[in-house]
Amino acid sequence: MKLVNSKYNLDIEFEENISNTLVLENKQHMIDVIQNLILQLKGDEGDFVLSSEKNVKFDKVVEFITNPFEIDFNNKKIATKLFEQLTAVASECVEEYNFINGKIVGTLDDICSKIEYSNLEYNLEYEWKSIFKLYNVRIGE
């Protein structure tokens, strides 16, 4: 992914597990850059272009951190990305999925057969994301 700003001749390439540092020694430039980034995070137009194979909307993929001690590791953006990564790993656990699903469906059948209602319905499959949410999987702070 690349961040470009033609006004300041910036071209920053982002790579996984590599930190980039941008030093702005001019106060006015720093204020302008920060204001631009914040505006774009709110969905407005600005001077920066974020691209991966195509242009990407800032407010969808960027988190602007002004105080690293106040990071909410479990905000929606981070939780969504965490669940995507966990689901990718979990999708390879086919045997475990089938075992868990069989146990859940069997248990639901047992429970539902012990009450008077004959028209109870439920899903016969689950999504990993639902399990992650059910068990409140999150990044510890």
Side-chain angles (χ1 to χ4, degrees), residues 8 22 24 29-38 48:
Y8 293 109
L22 175 62
L24 299 165
H29 291 172
M30 186 175 90
I31 291 169
D32 183 51
V33 166
I34 290 172
Q35 285 177 335
N36 253 284
L37 288 171
I38 291 171
F48 288 91

Side-chain angles (χ1 to χ4, degrees), residues 80 83-84 86-93 96-98 100-102 104-105 108 122-137:
T80 298
F83 289 169
E84 286 173 7
L86 289 170
T87 300
V89 172
S91 67
E92 298 173 9
C93 302
E96 292 85 348
Y97 175 91
N98 291 334
I100 293 167
N101 195 54
I104 291 171
V105 170
L108 286 172
Y122 47 85
N123 294 336
L124 296 176
E125 307 246 339
Y126 66 90
E127 293 181 9
W128 281 109
K129 184 177 177 181
S130 300
I131 297 294
F132 303 145
K133 285 183 177 182
L134 177 67
Y135 283 91
N136 197 18
V137 175

Side-chain angles (χ1 to χ4, degrees), residues 1-14 36-37 40 46-52 55 58:
M1 189 170 290
K2 186 182 278 196
L3 180 66
V4 178
N5 181 310
S6 57
K7 180 177 179 180
Y8 293 109
N9 197 25
L10 294 175
D11 188 346
I12 302 170
E13 183 79 33
F14 294 106
N36 253 284
L37 288 171
Q40 286 187 252
D47 297 333
F48 288 91
V49 174
L50 186 62
S51 63
S52 188
N55 285 357
F58 264 64

Side-chain angles (χ1 to χ4, degrees), residues 74-124:
N74 295 298
N75 70 33
K76 187 174 179 179
K77 282 182 192 175
I78 294 173
T80 298
K81 190 66 175 172
L82 173 64
F83 289 169
E84 286 173 7
Q85 290 177 351
L86 289 170
T87 300
V89 172
S91 67
E92 298 173 9
C93 302
V94 176
E95 288 181 38
E96 292 85 348
Y97 175 91
N98 291 334
F99 176 78
I100 293 167
N101 195 54
K103 288 290 192 183
I104 291 171
V105 170
T107 303
L108 286 172
D109 284 342
D110 288 345
I111 292 169
C112 291
S113 70
K114 294 178 182 174
I115 62 170
E116 301 169 5
Y117 303 103
S118 61
N119 60 342
L120 294 177
E121 297 178 354
Y122 47 85
N123 294 336
L124 296 176

Side-chain angles (χ1 to χ4, degrees), residues 48-64:
F48 288 91
V49 174
L50 186 62
S51 63
S52 188
E53 295 169 11
K54 58 181 181 172
N55 285 357
V56 179
K57 291 189 70 90
F58 264 64
D59 55 332
K60 301 293 182 204
V61 297
V62 173
E63 189 70 33
F64 190 68

